[in-house]
Every structure is written in C-alpha cells, then in structure tokens.
Amino acid sequence: MSLVERDLKVIWHPYTQMQTAQPPVPIVRGEGACLFDESGKKYIDAVSSWWVNIHGHAHPYIAQKVAEQLHKLEHVIFAGFTHEGAVELAERLLQLLPANQQKVFYSDNGSTANEVAIKMCLQYWHNRGEARTKILAFKNAYHGDTFGAMAVSGRSAFTAAFDSLLFEVEFIDLPTEENIQSLKSQISSLKSELACFIFEPLVQGAGGMIMYEARYLNELMKHCREENVLMIDDEVFTGFGRTGKNFACDHLTEQPDIMCFSKGLTGGTMALGVTTCSTQIYDAFLSDDRLKTLFHGHSFTANPVACAAALASMDLFIEPSTRQNIERIEQMHTLFLQKIKNHSKIKTVRQTGTILAMEWETGNDTSYFSSLRDTLYNYFLRAGIILRPLGNIVYILPPYCITNDELAYIYSHVERALDEI
C-alpha cells in the first residue's frame, strides 16, 4: 500500500475539504529550498511550508543542535523548573527586540502565542480593577484558529460556524491617509472600554497578503499610546526577516506592549510559540494575591528540543549571509514585479520585503474560494513548484536559501501561467 493510500485511510488534513480534495503529495525528504516526493520528483517550496521555513529544509546545523539536545534533555516541566535553552533563547531574542520588551512567555504555536497575549491584556485590566474587555482589531485580520485568536480575526467563512460564540471585537479598516483621523477618533471614543489593539504589522497574511504603510500604523500606535490602549504586535508571520528587517516593528518608531512569535522562530523545524511583554504588563501580575497569577500554560512549554532548534535558527539568522540573501530576494522580487505589473491578467501586484503577492484578474472581487485557485495550484504543482494561492492571489514567500536560478524558474512559470491560464 502506498503512502498516499495509507494516509487517506487515517488522516484528516487541515484546511481541506476531504470529500473533494486531491490526494496529498507524499513528501519523503527535503533539502535546501526543495522537497522530494516518494517517486523522486523535486518541488521548490515557494511558500516555505506555510511560511515557517527560513533557512531551508533539513538544515544540517539545526539538525545537529537538535540531535545534541535530544541526548541531553528532551523535556522538563516548566512550572517551577527551568533549563539553559529557554533562558538563553529568551536572552538572545530580547536583545533583538525593542527595548521595552523585557519578559518572555513560552507556548506552542502562533495561535497560542496570540491567545496568551490577549489573556495578558484582559487580565492586566482585571488585575488593576478596571473593566476593559473590548478588543480592537483590523478587518480581514488573521491571528489563529483557537477561539481567542479566532475571535480577534476577521469574520469570514472560516469563523461562520462559531460566530455566535466569539467575544465582541471592534473591527476597523487598515489605516490610510484618508481615514487615519477618523480611526483615531473612533479609538478615542472607545478608549475606556478597550483592553487592547491587536494587529498584523504591515502585511495581513491569510487575509490575502494585504499590505499597508508603516507610517499610518505608526500614527495609529502613537494615538493608542496616548489614549492608554495596550498594543499587541502579531509577528508570527512577519517576524525573522520576512518584511526585509528583522521584525516588522523595526519599520516603526512606536513600539507595542506585547509581541507574538512562532513560524520562523525555529527555522521551521518544529512548533514553538513566544509571547514577549513589557515590564508594565508583567508587573500587573505581581502580587501576594495568587488570583492575580497568569493562569496559562502548556505541557510542552519551553520544550528544550524546540528551544535548541530556535537557538540554532537564530545563529543562522544573524549571519551576514542571511541578511544578504534577504536583500537578494527582495531585489529579485522587485525586478519581477516591475516586469509583470502591467500584464492584462494582473489586477494588482505588491511587495514587502521577501513577500511578493500577485492578484489575478477574475472580473470579480478577491475570494479565497475562487475557482482559479485550484487551477493555479495544480498548474504550478505539475511544474514542480509549491505555490498555495489564497483564492486568486498567488504569493511567493521562499526560504532565504533559495537560489537565483530557482527564483527565476518560479518567475518564468508565473509568466507562463499568465499567458496560458
């Protein structure tokens, strides 16, 4: 029995309508920016395996550090205990972040990193004896699939079955020159009710790679600071180089109270979530009253093996060659954008850092359920390219180790698709 046949007997895949989905591609190994199936066919992983892989698959350095850790300590309860990897990772991560970030809370993934952040903000006000329970978020946001993260994400087909169970959120438009003053007025009118403002900085990933300007986010954040509204910067997607800088917040002068990380944190090796916060947030939980404790935890909090992977990934991330690769990808994306931006089948094309998104013209509004999605996905898959369109939006988000030839191959097939589909 083949791997696919075995899979179909026992597996339920994410974001997949199992009744109509094609059989999954059986991947047996990875190397660099590529994956290989059981027949030996090579695929360029142009979406970094759901945006997590930044250094390439089966990176020998990360593998070595993970193997060494497995022979030393695989796990220890993190309530009442600690270990070297968790402490060192927190120390090194905080050195890269804005100066106001002073404490690290570990969890399992991006959704839980955001859940922790939301709970921190809600309980911050509760501990202070203030009734602030409303949350501010952007329309079309995506912060995860657990209930709290889902509640602060835009209402859509993804949340429809659960909408009546989600807590109240005030959704606002992305800031622009035209609406910034009205958004600020809206925040001022709600400030006594708002526990926090959560946002994806500069790029809304799952919403369709929607991009907006740092200067207007900065102005909005400055106003939130003036109105004493806490801010959560969800860098699960944008962190670790995706926007061209270490973190999207590096494009800003205003800084958040809380930051969330996952995906590229371990170089795509395994699941790990991090929520960092300011001393102001942390201090609100310090008390002789045990009821003011942050009652949140996970069995695998600060897993030593995951921390080892993250530390190895960070070693690679701070190498000059990684910065050079990020700049190289940015430059190649920009050149390709200029080449195709006036194509009749391109509605819009946009770029932030190593993220390039192309919206196909369909005659209709953008839709995650556009029939064009499957046509494009299969077209690229046949060519040995993994691109997972968000409806009629095709985006290229490669590992930083991708070669110029591999990028050129992807670009050439995008051009062919524009001409043939």
Side-chain angles (χ1 to χ4, degrees), residues 100-101 225 229-233 255-259 276-278 280-281:
N100 72 329
Q101 299 299 295
R225 180 72 64 211
V229 175
L230 299 176
M231 292 174 281
I232 302 171
D233 177 3
Q255 297 304 340
D257 301 281
I258 297 175
M259 301 181 71
T276 66
C277 71
S278 66
Q280 175 189 349
I281 301 293

PDB file of all heavy atoms in Angstrom, residues 100-101 225 229-233 255-259 276-278 280-281:
ATOM      1  N   ASN A 100      11.657  47.937  25.136  1.00  0.00           N
ATOM      2  CA  ASN A 100      10.616  47.800  26.154  1.00  0.00           C
ATOM      3  C   ASN A 100      10.183  46.346  26.372  1.00  0.00           C
ATOM      4  O   ASN A 100       9.504  46.039  27.349  1.00  0.00           O
ATOM      5  CB  ASN A 100       9.399  48.662  25.815  1.00  0.00           C
ATOM      6  CG  ASN A 100       8.590  48.110  24.646  1.00  0.00           C
ATOM      7  OD1 ASN A 100       9.129  47.485  23.735  1.00  0.00           O
ATOM      8  ND2 ASN A 100       7.298  48.356  24.667  1.00  0.00           N
ATOM      9  N   GLN A 101      10.589  45.455  25.471  1.00  0.00           N
ATOM     10  CA  GLN A 101      10.255  44.037  25.650  1.00  0.00           C
ATOM     11  C   GLN A 101      11.232  43.420  26.651  1.00  0.00           C
ATOM     12  O   GLN A 101      12.432  43.361  26.401  1.00  0.00           O
ATOM     13  CB  GLN A 101      10.302  43.308  24.312  1.00  0.00           C
ATOM     14  CG  GLN A 101       9.317  43.837  23.280  1.00  0.00           C
ATOM     15  CD  GLN A 101       7.874  43.704  23.726  1.00  0.00           C
ATOM     16  OE1 GLN A 101       7.351  42.612  23.896  1.00  0.00           O
ATOM     17  NE2 GLN A 101       7.213  44.846  23.927  1.00  0.00           N
ATOM     18  N   ARG A 225      -1.104  54.772  22.274  1.00  0.00           N
ATOM     19  CA  ARG A 225      -0.250  55.020  23.435  1.00  0.00           C
ATOM     20  C   ARG A 225      -0.763  56.235  24.212  1.00  0.00           C
ATOM     21  O   ARG A 225      -0.834  56.212  25.446  1.00  0.00           O
ATOM     22  CB  ARG A 225       1.191  55.249  22.962  1.00  0.00           C
ATOM     23  CG  ARG A 225       2.187  55.524  24.067  1.00  0.00           C
ATOM     24  CD  ARG A 225       2.485  54.279  24.885  1.00  0.00           C
ATOM     25  NE  ARG A 225       3.127  53.250  24.091  1.00  0.00           N
ATOM     26  CZ  ARG A 225       2.981  51.943  24.299  1.00  0.00           C
ATOM     27  NH1 ARG A 225       2.189  51.518  25.270  1.00  0.00           N
ATOM     28  NH2 ARG A 225       3.596  51.056  23.552  1.00  0.00           N
ATOM     29  N   VAL A 229      -4.154  52.661  25.443  1.00  0.00           N
ATOM     30  CA  VAL A 229      -4.672  51.406  24.902  1.00  0.00           C
ATOM     31  C   VAL A 229      -3.483  50.477  24.650  1.00  0.00           C
ATOM     32  O   VAL A 229      -2.562  50.832  23.913  1.00  0.00           O
ATOM     33  CB  VAL A 229      -5.445  51.636  23.580  1.00  0.00           C
ATOM     34  CG1 VAL A 229      -5.870  50.300  22.967  1.00  0.00           C
ATOM     35  CG2 VAL A 229      -6.659  52.521  23.820  1.00  0.00           C
ATOM     36  N   LEU A 230      -3.476  49.321  25.283  1.00  0.00           N
ATOM     37  CA  LEU A 230      -2.378  48.369  25.111  1.00  0.00           C
ATOM     38  C   LEU A 230      -2.339  47.852  23.675  1.00  0.00           C
ATOM     39  O   LEU A 230      -3.373  47.759  23.001  1.00  0.00           O
ATOM     40  CB  LEU A 230      -2.543  47.187  26.073  1.00  0.00           C
ATOM     41  CG  LEU A 230      -2.545  47.522  27.569  1.00  0.00           C
ATOM     42  CD1 LEU A 230      -2.811  46.264  28.383  1.00  0.00           C
ATOM     43  CD2 LEU A 230      -1.229  48.164  27.987  1.00  0.00           C
ATOM     44  N   MET A 231      -1.123  47.487  23.207  1.00  0.00           N
ATOM     45  CA  MET A 231      -0.958  47.050  21.823  1.00  0.00           C
ATOM     46  C   MET A 231      -0.250  45.706  21.735  1.00  0.00           C
ATOM     47  O   MET A 231       0.771  45.478  22.389  1.00  0.00           O
ATOM     48  CB  MET A 231      -0.164  48.106  21.042  1.00  0.00           C
ATOM     49  CG  MET A 231      -0.911  49.407  20.844  1.00  0.00           C
ATOM     50  SD  MET A 231       0.123  50.667  20.064  1.00  0.00           S
ATOM     51  CE  MET A 231       1.098  51.232  21.475  1.00  0.00           C
ATOM     52  N   ILE A 232      -0.818  44.825  20.906  1.00  0.00           N
ATOM     53  CA  ILE A 232      -0.238  43.512  20.634  1.00  0.00           C
ATOM     54  C   ILE A 232       0.205  43.468  19.181  1.00  0.00           C
ATOM     55  O   ILE A 232      -0.603  43.631  18.268  1.00  0.00           O
ATOM     56  CB  ILE A 232      -1.254  42.381  20.873  1.00  0.00           C
ATOM     57  CG1 ILE A 232      -1.777  42.392  22.308  1.00  0.00           C
ATOM     58  CG2 ILE A 232      -0.630  41.022  20.527  1.00  0.00           C
ATOM     59  CD1 ILE A 232      -2.944  41.436  22.534  1.00  0.00           C
ATOM     60  N   ASP A 233       1.495  43.245  18.979  1.00  0.00           N
ATOM     61  CA  ASP A 233       2.079  43.145  17.639  1.00  0.00           C
ATOM     62  C   ASP A 233       2.233  41.659  17.298  1.00  0.00           C
ATOM     63  O   ASP A 233       3.087  40.969  17.856  1.00  0.00           O
ATOM     64  CB  ASP A 233       3.443  43.856  17.640  1.00  0.00           C
ATOM     65  CG  ASP A 233       4.166  43.746  16.316  1.00  0.00           C
ATOM     66  OD1 ASP A 233       3.623  43.186  15.360  1.00  0.00           O
ATOM     67  OD2 ASP A 233       5.327  44.226  16.251  1.00  0.00           O
ATOM     68  N   GLN A 255       6.341  51.508  19.559  1.00  0.00           N
ATOM     69  CA  GLN A 255       6.533  50.087  19.832  1.00  0.00           C
ATOM     70  C   GLN A 255       5.376  49.519  20.642  1.00  0.00           C
ATOM     71  O   GLN A 255       4.763  50.222  21.445  1.00  0.00           O
ATOM     72  CB  GLN A 255       7.865  49.857  20.561  1.00  0.00           C
ATOM     73  CG  GLN A 255       9.092  50.263  19.741  1.00  0.00           C
ATOM     74  CD  GLN A 255       9.179  49.569  18.384  1.00  0.00           C
ATOM     75  OE1 GLN A 255       8.568  48.530  18.172  1.00  0.00           O
ATOM     76  NE2 GLN A 255       9.926  50.146  17.464  1.00  0.00           N
ATOM     77  N   PRO A 256       5.067  48.232  20.447  1.00  0.00           N
ATOM     78  CA  PRO A 256       3.941  47.607  21.140  1.00  0.00           C
ATOM     79  C   PRO A 256       4.267  47.255  22.587  1.00  0.00           C
ATOM     80  O   PRO A 256       5.430  47.283  23.000  1.00  0.00           O
ATOM     81  CB  PRO A 256       3.703  46.346  20.316  1.00  0.00           C
ATOM     82  CG  PRO A 256       5.076  45.989  19.827  1.00  0.00           C
ATOM     83  CD  PRO A 256       5.759  47.303  19.546  1.00  0.00           C
ATOM     84  N   ASP A 257       3.247  46.867  23.312  1.00  0.00           N
ATOM     85  CA  ASP A 257       3.428  46.398  24.687  1.00  0.00           C
ATOM     86  C   ASP A 257       3.739  44.903  24.716  1.00  0.00           C
ATOM     87  O   ASP A 257       4.436  44.418  25.610  1.00  0.00           O
ATOM     88  CB  ASP A 257       2.161  46.664  25.501  1.00  0.00           C
ATOM     89  CG  ASP A 257       1.807  48.137  25.532  1.00  0.00           C
ATOM     90  OD1 ASP A 257       2.430  48.874  26.311  1.00  0.00           O
ATOM     91  OD2 ASP A 257       0.919  48.548  24.760  1.00  0.00           O
ATOM     92  N   ILE A 258       3.193  44.199  23.729  1.00  0.00           N
ATOM     93  CA  ILE A 258       3.318  42.743  23.669  1.00  0.00           C
ATOM     94  C   ILE A 258       3.615  42.346  22.230  1.00  0.00           C
ATOM     95  O   ILE A 258       3.106  42.959  21.286  1.00  0.00           O
ATOM     96  CB  ILE A 258       2.009  42.065  24.143  1.00  0.00           C
ATOM     97  CG1 ILE A 258       1.731  42.405  25.612  1.00  0.00           C
ATOM     98  CG2 ILE A 258       2.062  40.554  23.952  1.00  0.00           C
ATOM     99  CD1 ILE A 258       0.402  41.874  26.132  1.00  0.00           C
ATOM    100  N   MET A 259       4.451  41.307  22.063  1.00  0.00           N
ATOM    101  CA  MET A 259       4.773  40.800  20.735  1.00  0.00           C
ATOM    102  C   MET A 259       4.622  39.280  20.715  1.00  0.00           C
ATOM    103  O   MET A 259       4.871  38.612  21.724  1.00  0.00           O
ATOM    104  CB  MET A 259       6.188  41.196  20.322  1.00  0.00           C
ATOM    105  CG  MET A 259       6.410  42.698  20.286  1.00  0.00           C
ATOM    106  SD  MET A 259       8.084  43.178  19.768  1.00  0.00           S
ATOM    107  CE  MET A 259       8.030  42.758  18.019  1.00  0.00           C
ATOM    108  N   THR A 276       6.214  37.962  24.128  1.00  0.00           N
ATOM    109  CA  THR A 276       7.061  38.837  24.943  1.00  0.00           C
ATOM    110  C   THR A 276       6.237  40.033  25.396  1.00  0.00           C
ATOM    111  O   THR A 276       5.254  40.414  24.756  1.00  0.00           O
ATOM    112  CB  THR A 276       8.293  39.325  24.169  1.00  0.00           C
ATOM    113  OG1 THR A 276       7.870  40.189  23.094  1.00  0.00           O
ATOM    114  CG2 THR A 276       9.095  38.162  23.610  1.00  0.00           C
ATOM    115  N   CYS A 277       6.645  40.626  26.511  1.00  0.00           N
ATOM    116  CA  CYS A 277       5.888  41.771  27.016  1.00  0.00           C
ATOM    117  C   CYS A 277       6.789  42.756  27.749  1.00  0.00           C
ATOM    118  O   CYS A 277       7.929  42.444  28.097  1.00  0.00           O
ATOM    119  CB  CYS A 277       4.757  41.316  27.925  1.00  0.00           C
ATOM    120  SG  CYS A 277       5.292  40.669  29.525  1.00  0.00           S
ATOM    121  N   SER A 278       6.233  43.919  28.003  1.00  0.00           N
ATOM    122  CA  SER A 278       6.933  44.966  28.731  1.00  0.00           C
ATOM    123  C   SER A 278       6.875  44.701  30.233  1.00  0.00           C
ATOM    124  O   SER A 278       6.045  43.922  30.720  1.00  0.00           O
ATOM    125  CB  SER A 278       6.299  46.325  28.431  1.00  0.00           C
ATOM    126  OG  SER A 278       4.976  46.354  28.953  1.00  0.00           O
ATOM    127  N   GLN A 280       5.773  46.753  32.334  1.00  0.00           N
ATOM    128  CA  GLN A 280       4.473  47.271  32.769  1.00  0.00           C
ATOM    129  C   GLN A 280       3.421  46.165  32.805  1.00  0.00           C
ATOM    130  O   GLN A 280       2.645  46.058  33.759  1.00  0.00           O
ATOM    131  CB  GLN A 280       4.011  48.391  31.836  1.00  0.00           C
ATOM    132  CG  GLN A 280       2.614  48.921  32.139  1.00  0.00           C
ATOM    133  CD  GLN A 280       2.099  49.866  31.060  1.00  0.00           C
ATOM    134  OE1 GLN A 280       2.846  50.287  30.179  1.00  0.00           O
ATOM    135  NE2 GLN A 280       0.826  50.183  31.111  1.00  0.00           N
ATOM    136  N   ILE A 281       3.391  45.344  31.764  1.00  0.00           N
ATOM    137  CA  ILE A 281       2.436  44.238  31.715  1.00  0.00           C
ATOM    138  C   ILE A 281       2.772  43.219  32.801  1.00  0.00           C
ATOM    139  O   ILE A 281       1.913  42.802  33.588  1.00  0.00           O
ATOM    140  CB  ILE A 281       2.440  43.563  30.332  1.00  0.00           C
ATOM    141  CG1 ILE A 281       2.082  44.557  29.223  1.00  0.00           C
ATOM    142  CG2 ILE A 281       1.504  42.359  30.321  1.00  0.00           C
ATOM    143  CD1 ILE A 281       0.665  45.072  29.277  1.00  0.00           C
TER     144      ILE A 281
END
